[in-house]
Each structure stands twice: as C-alpha cells, then as structure tokens.
Amino acid sequence: MVRKIIGLLFLVAHWFATAPDARRKGGETEEKGIGVKQKLLNGLTGLVILGLLQGCASGEFAEHNTQSQMASGRVFSQPEVYRLGPSDKLRVMVFGEPDLSGEFVVDDQGKLDLPLIGDIPAGNSSVKELETRIITALKDGYLKEPRVSLEVISSRPFFIQGEVARPGEYSYKNGLTLQDAIAVAGGYSYRANTSNIFIRPVGSNYEVPVNLTGARLYLRPGDSIRIPERYF
C-alpha cells in the first residue's frame, strides 16, 4: 500500500514537471502557472506524508491494542501450574541412585543437563511433566523402575518498581499474588497511586492496567509490576 502511494506521488510530480504552461507576452502567465503548480505539489506531498504517518500510527496502535488484549487475558484470577524456565534451580532425587541425584539449573536453552541421560527439555514444562520425562529417559537402558522426585529450589525473579518502599527484583514463589508482591517490596510509599497498577506480563512488551478490588491476582515469574505516583 505504501509503495502504491509513493508511486502515485512520483507520477503526479512528473506530470506537474512536464505539463505545458500557457504563455503570454512578458512571461506573467508562465510565472503564475509555475507558482500554482509548486503550491499544489507541496500540498499534495504534505497530504501523502500525513497519510503515511497516520497509517503507521494506526498500525502501531492496532499492534499495541492486540498485544495489550492478549496480555490482559494473562492476568489470571486463579493460580497456574508453575512452568519451568531458564535459571530455575531444581533438586533432582533419583531414589537409590545418589550419583544421579543433585541440584541442577535450567540453562538458557530451557534444558536440564543430568548425569547419565544428558540434556532433558525442561522449559515451559511443569514439574510433573519433567519428572515423567526423566523417568522415561532413565528407563531407556539405564534403570528398570526408576523413582524420581523434583523440587524447585529457586525460581526466576519477579520485578517491582515505582512507588513501593523497596523496588527491585525478588524471588518468585509458586502462588505469588500481586498483593503478596507489594507486601514483599515493603508496601506502598505515601505517593503511590493505588487505584491504577500496571503489570507487564513476562514475554510481553506492553503493560496491563489492573485494579485491586479485593480479587487476588496471581503472577508468574518474570512479571514486572509498576506502581505509579499519584499527583493529588
């Protein structure tokens, strides 16, 4: 669409540049004609540029609105099953096999490097799903009936900024709510606008406005909270 508009602009400009002028003695008509053409060309150029800017702004707004709607649907009123991700630290217990047990960290690729069986996909998996995956791998020529237990020792942090006593990053715990996160950060400052709080869900570029109306809002690790300042 943008290419078509630019092409049309060049065609019109070419027409203005090559169109014959009515002439009369003294060149007065020619001079006026050139002035009118220049004004028309300038006006047309301005309109096209304005249209392009409006189109870009509309596209950006539509993208922002779509992503904001998607993000807003992610602020859940019910706790979710915890999904593992990079930097999560796990304690893996393989009963009767101390050499296969220990503490391990999910790497940047979302994998867990375990003794004997190597890399096991862990990213975006629940603890139960990962347990099943490890058991299956150990059964494949290593142990007859492996029993495996997993525990999340430390999770990715969540972030809180703005009008709280101690802004920063804090360890996430499964079932963490927005209310809990504010309390962990020392509560509101005296300048806090408690009517409008913003959450940028993990993986999103846009903030979602939320209201604390008594409902508990559950967070994910990696979520970022912003408490704005009130002006009155």
Side-chain angles (χ1 to χ4, degrees):
M1 183 63 181
V2 172
R3 289 181 179 178
K4 290 181 180 179
I5 294 174
I6 294 174
L8 178 61
L9 176 60
F10 276 117
L11 287 175
V12 174
H14 178 72
W15 180 84
F16 273 117
T18 57
D21 291 315
R23 299 174 183 270
R24 77 179 186 187
K25 188 175 180 180
E28 182 181 350
T29 303
E30 179 182 5
E31 198 172 301
K32 287 184 177 179
I34 293 174
V36 170
K37 287 197 299 182
Q38 186 62 47
K39 288 180 180 179
L40 288 172
L41 182 57
N42 291 343
L44 180 61
T45 303
L47 287 173
V48 172
I49 292 174
L50 179 61
L52 290 173
L53 291 175
Q54 287 178 337
C56 292
S58 298
E60 183 178 354
F61 175 78
E63 180 186 0
H64 177 279
N65 191 45
T66 299
Q67 292 203 28
S68 181
Q69 288 177 351
M70 292 173 62
S72 64
R74 217 253 66 207
V75 182
F76 296 99
S77 59
Q78 296 294 327
E80 294 183 293
V81 173
Y82 184 77
R83 296 286 169 180
L84 299 168
S87 299
D88 282 346
K89 188 175 183 179
L90 304 174
R91 180 179 289 114
V92 180
M93 295 292 296
V94 182
F95 294 98
E97 301 290 340
D99 293 340
L100 303 182
S101 304
E103 297 178 358
F104 306 91
V105 177
V106 180
D107 66 19
D108 292 339
Q109 305 300 317
K111 295 180 180 180
L112 204 64
D113 187 9
L114 299 176
L116 200 64
I117 56 177
D119 288 341
I120 300 294
N124 203 36
S125 300
S126 67
V127 171
K128 189 65 178 176
E129 289 168 348
L130 182 57
E131 279 184 4
T132 301
R133 207 168 288 147
I134 294 172
I135 290 172
T136 300
L138 288 172
K139 280 184 175 180
D140 189 15
Y142 300 105
L143 298 176
K144 187 174 182 180
E145 292 294 335
R147 290 187 299 150
V148 176
S149 173
L150 296 185
E151 178 187 357
V152 179
I153 300 174
S154 62
S155 306
R156 292 155 287 164
F158 70 92
F159 306 89
I160 185 165
Q161 58 182 313
E163 297 303 324
V164 288
R166 297 187 299 274
E169 66 175 64
Y170 293 90
S171 295
Y172 176 88
K173 296 186 182 299
N174 198 26
L176 182 76
T177 67
L178 176 58
Q179 293 87 339
D180 296 335
I182 294 169
V184 167
Y188 298 114
S189 74
Y190 72 92
R191 294 188 302 267
N193 181 351
T194 59
S195 299
N196 292 294
I197 297 173
F198 297 89
I199 300 176
R200 180 170 58 80
V202 59
S204 173
N205 294 324
Y206 300 102
E207 292 182 326
V208 179
V210 297
N211 292 317
L212 287 179
T213 57
R216 298 179 67 79
L217 300 177
Y218 290 88
L219 302 174
R220 284 180 180 174
D223 283 353
S224 182
I225 306 158
R226 181 171 65 86
I227 312 296
E229 181 182 1
R230 60 179 171 82
Y231 297 102
F232 301 101

